[in-house]
Amino acid sequence: MVVPIIVRSPAKINVQLSVGPLRADGYHELISVFQAVSLNDVVTASEGSGVSLSMMGEGAESLPVGDTNLAVRAAHALAQYAKVDANVSLHIEKSIPIAGGLAGGSTDAAGTLVACDALWETGLTRDQLAEIGAQLGSDVPFALFGGNAIGRGRGEQIMPVLGRGQFHWVFAFADEGLSTPAVYQQCDRLREADEVPEPYVSDLLVQALRAGDPELLAGALHNDLQPAAISLRPSLRTLLEAGVEYGALAGMVSGSGPTCAFLCRDSEHSIDVAVALTATGMCRTVKRGTGPSPGARIEQ
Ligand code: C5P
């Protein structure tokens, strides 16, 4: 009996998300500065016959567990790449909300790639797993590497950014998710009349990550999808304003939303902001976390 492999796989936020022009393949050219944060889904891979999946936790009841699930697709994609039989029983404990702008589905796929690679002893490198992951979703390669990183292309070409220290975040989860394609389409509609420039990395932001300076990072946070997410979900504007009123250094929509991330000075400050936001009753759940966190990794 082979011992089950347990993998923790992180959520991400985009401390910078600059959305360039729409490409011919339907994706947008991006500069995405990712930070992996300490909200994790846990993927367990055990011996099985064929690929099966069960899920528990945050939003699990509303997710498909069949062949359309990104984790199931990840297992099949790895088996095909490594030319092995796809036999695994997968279980995912979800803490990351679905359709929340935190790449929960992508990180489950990344965790599955790492877990199956170990279970099947296929011995692939992270770069090979990232190559498979990029076919599954734009955010999957980053979830394999974690840390702070710049994503180019559609977000799948990853370059690490060295940083110092930990940043403290408060996350506000919404009742209902937002569809990523719908938010990108709304972004296109809002910018229809404008010339959309090629995106570039903010020097100030990279400097803030390198210095581990939350005040500097607060001034450099940027998300081009935020106006689109707010126009589809106007209550997000009030939530963002409330977080700053309660003392957060800055608040932003995470990726395509609707999760909002509030940057705090330190751990104690993040407790104060979390308590105040919880008391407003403006969001379903409030959680605290830190970043950067490691990428998908096997639990010893
Ligand atoms: O790659 P992924 O499947 O995660 O992307 C989900 C959707 O987000 C795409 O179908 C597309 O509508 C949008 N997207 C985009 N440009 C990107 C990444 C995602 O338009 N660079």
Side-chain angles (χ1 to χ4, degrees), residues 72-99:
V72 174
R73 288 176 48 206
H76 283 295
L78 171 60
Q80 202 176 358
Y81 183 98
K83 300 189 175 57
V84 297
D85 291 331
N87 289 321
V88 62
S89 166
L90 294 165
H91 178 74
I92 303 180
E93 277 300 323
K94 289 201 64 65
S95 301
I96 306 169
I98 60 165

Side-chain angles (χ1 to χ4, degrees), residues 1 15 24 95 163 204 238 251 283 296:
M1 178 79 183
V15 285
S95 301
L204 186 65
T238 333
C283 42

Side-chain angles (χ1 to χ4, degrees), residues 19-71:
V19 179
L22 181 61
R23 309 190 318 198
D25 64 1
Y27 286 88
H28 294 75
E29 197 64 21
L30 297 184
I31 287 292
S32 167
V33 184
F34 293 104
Q35 181 168 97
V37 293
S38 61
L39 283 175
N40 293 285
D41 282 355
V42 179
V43 180
T44 304
S46 322
E47 275 184 312
S49 166
V51 178
S52 63
L53 170 66
S54 60
M55 292 211 217
M56 289 284 282
E58 180 71 45
E61 63 293 340
S62 60
L63 285 168
V65 289
D67 286 349
T68 57
N69 187 290
L70 209 56

Side-chain angles (χ1 to χ4, degrees), residues 158-183:
I158 300 300
M159 199 178 80
V161 174
L162 290 180
R164 177 182 298 169
Q166 286 281 301
F167 293 94
H168 295 263
W169 299 94
V170 172
F171 304 106
F173 295 175
D175 282 322
E176 244 181 276
L178 276 173
S179 143
T180 302
V183 175

Side-chain angles (χ1 to χ4, degrees), residues 22 26-30 106 136-139 153-155 180-181 184-185:
L22 181 61
Y27 286 88
H28 294 75
E29 197 64 21
L30 297 184
S106 299
L136 299 163
S138 310
D139 291 336
R154 59 184 171 89
T180 302
Y184 273 100
Q185 278 163 23

Side-chain angles (χ1 to χ4, degrees), residues 87-149:
N87 289 321
V88 62
S89 166
L90 294 165
H91 178 74
I92 303 180
E93 277 300 323
K94 289 201 64 65
S95 301
I96 306 169
I98 60 165
L102 296 165
S106 299
T107 208
D108 294 347
T112 301
L113 290 173
V114 171
C116 290
D117 179 56
L119 187 77
W120 297 337
E121 298 180 338
T122 39
L124 300 191
T125 62
R126 285 275 152 160
D127 283 339
Q128 286 174 309
L129 294 179
E131 190 188 321
I132 302 167
Q135 311 297 318
L136 299 163
S138 310
D139 291 336
V140 180
F142 172 70
L144 289 162
F145 295 108
N148 295 314

